[in-house]
Amino acid sequence: QVQLVESGGGLVQAGGSLKLSCAASGITFSINAMGWFRQAPGKEREFVAAISRSGDMTNYVDSVKGRFSISRDNAKNTVYLQMNALKPEDTATYYCATDRTFYQIQTRPKYWGKGTLVIVSS
């Protein structure tokens, strides 16, 4: 079955950086779009970033543009989220997701990981 396992979360001070990883199995990774979502306490889950199957297209929520960068390594079946200049409002559980299309990954992806917690202290 499809498994997505996130790692790399933790506690960081405002202005710092973290790099999240998501290892996928049970799918043909290279033909799936990948994405990251987040859910802060008391808030709805929101889209953060997406990358197409080949990596030639990316998209970000406005609040992270210029600070976050999504990338993928198809040889390692892994997608990454480099997060720089972190702010306290970035505190959330970050979820990896996958689906077949670049459109679907940004709206209602089919498969989800269990999440990794990022806490940004002020």
Side-chain angles (χ1 to χ4, degrees), residues 108-121:
R108 298 183 68 178
K110 185 174 183 179
Y111 300 105
W112 295 87
K114 294 183 178 181
T116 186
L117 179 62
V118 172
I119 300 173
V120 184
S121 63

Side-chain angles (χ1 to χ4, degrees), residues 1-118:
Q1 72 273 23
V2 178
Q3 279 196 315
L4 302 173
V5 180
E6 302 95 336
S7 61
L11 175 64
V12 62
Q13 288 189 332
S17 298
L18 280 176
K19 186 173 185 178
L20 306 183
S21 300
C22 172
S25 61
I27 58 172
T28 305
F29 186 78
S30 61
I31 65 171
N32 273 41
M34 301 296 297
W36 289 94
F37 288 69
R38 66 185 179 186
Q39 187 167 19
K43 295 188 176 181
E44 293 188 353
R45 190 175 299 188
E46 68 167 347
F47 166 77
V48 176
I51 188 166
S52 61
R53 57 188 67 176
S54 64
D56 61 335
M57 293 188 294
T58 58
N59 193 31
Y60 301 89
V61 66
D62 285 347
S63 60
V64 308
K65 284 180 180 178
R67 300 189 299 122
F68 290 14
S69 177
I70 188 171
S71 61
R72 64 189 294 160
D73 185 337
N74 286 351
K76 295 183 178 179
N77 286 7
T78 301
V79 63
Y80 305 98
L81 186 67
Q82 177 67 48
M83 305 186 295
N84 299 325
L86 283 160
K87 305 175 181 180
E89 50 264 43
D90 294 318
T91 294
T93 297
Y94 284 72
Y95 297 90
C96 175
T98 187
D99 210 311
R100 291 298 300 271
T101 72
F102 189 58
Y103 170 77
Q104 193 70 17
I105 197 65
Q106 300 176 69
T107 53
R108 298 183 68 178
K110 185 174 183 179
Y111 300 105
W112 295 87
K114 294 183 178 181
T116 186
L117 179 62
V118 172

